[in-house]
Amino acid sequence: MAAGEPSDLGVYSFRFLPQKTFQSLSTPQTTSRLRQWSMLGRIEAQAFGFDQTFQTYRKDDFVMAFFKDPNVIPNLKLLSEYSGEWLTLGTEVKKVEAINVPCTQLSMSFFNRLYDEAIVRDNGYIVKCLDSFCDPFLISDELRKDSVGVCYPSTKSHEQTFSYFIVDPIKRHVHVLYHCYGVGEVS
């Protein structure tokens, strides 16, 4: 058994950390960008703590335990696809799919390619293109052409709906960054 590894590989337990805030999402510059990309009011970041050493090879157990935890279910926010109101999970999760995203990018220069490939203008606006259809989706700008796919938590699949879990194994925190596609706040 490795040092620091729990003696039994039991289920993770989580606790909601409502005192943890994400000031970067509320700066005037960020809210302006979120508004222009129709994401304002539709993006949320939350923090949860956990009780065991995080092991990457146990990511599926970690995510399943997260969605089944009694401290997560009443606190994890998501948008109703019908009313557009914030709700909590409030349902039993039976299957999860977790994809490990490598952390090889350590600076924001990763996003420079949006400018280099003429997807975003210098003022931050997405470059428009002629409308075309790809399956059921309308492609009306350059960004919708290097889409990545769909993750939890919407029953309606959309390429701009996502949830990322950022795990800090030292502090034993998991930050959830969530966005649900739709029309955001305009004023």
Side-chain angles (χ1 to χ4, degrees):
M1 181 180 315
E5 190 173 329
S7 58
D8 66 332
L9 293 176
V11 177
Y12 289 93
S13 293
F14 295 85
R15 67 191 181 289
F16 180 46
L17 303 173
Q19 71 279 8
K20 176 78 173 163
T21 59
F22 300 88
Q23 298 297 328
S24 60
L25 285 177
S26 60
T27 66
Q29 182 179 9
T30 301
T31 56
S32 173
R33 297 296 173 135
L34 291 173
R35 182 178 295 110
Q36 87 183 42
W37 289 9
S38 197
M39 295 175 77
L40 188 62
R42 302 191 68 83
I43 193 165
E44 180 69 30
Q46 292 182 277
F48 295 84
F50 55 95
D51 66 341
Q52 294 184 37
T53 303
F54 177 76
Q55 302 289 338
T56 305
Y57 73 91
R58 292 185 62 208
K59 70 177 171 32
D60 293 332
D61 295 335
F62 180 84
V63 174
M64 182 57 87
F66 179 82
F67 284 111
K68 290 187 173 286
D69 193 280
N71 294 313
V72 171
I73 293 169
N75 292 302
L76 184 64
K77 290 183 178 181
L78 61 140
L79 274 174
S80 165
E81 60 189 70
Y82 302 106
S83 68
E85 294 181 30
W86 287 100
L87 308 171
T88 55
L89 187 58
T91 188
E92 181 183 357
V93 173
K94 296 182 180 179
K95 182 180 176 185
V96 297
E97 180 182 350
I99 299 168
N100 193 32
V101 178
C103 296
T104 56
Q105 294 299 323
L106 301 176
S107 76
M108 297 303 282
S109 65
F110 174 79
F111 293 103
N112 289 347
R113 69 184 254 212
L114 292 174
Y115 296 96
D116 297 342
E117 296 181 23
I119 294 171
V120 177
R121 297 186 194 286
D122 288 336
N123 63 7
Y125 284 92
I126 299 172
V127 176
K128 298 292 182 188
C129 65
L130 294 174
D131 288 351
S132 64
F133 286 91
C134 179
D135 293 328
F137 301 109
L138 172 67
I139 308 298
S140 60
D141 59 49
E142 293 296 324
L143 185 60
R144 288 185 177 100
K145 286 183 179 177
D146 20 341
S147 60
V148 244
V150 181
C151 302
Y152 136 90
S154 181
T155 57
K156 284 189 175 180
S157 176
H158 194 278
E159 60 190 349
Q160 293 180 29
T161 296
F162 62 81
S163 181
Y164 291 106
F165 285 38
I166 299 96
V167 178
D168 181 337
I170 306 299
K171 291 183 180 178
R172 292 189 178 177
H173 287 173
V174 58
H175 296 158
V176 179
L177 180 63
Y178 164 92
H179 176 261
C180 184
Y181 174 75
V183 178
E185 296 175 16
V186 290
S187 60

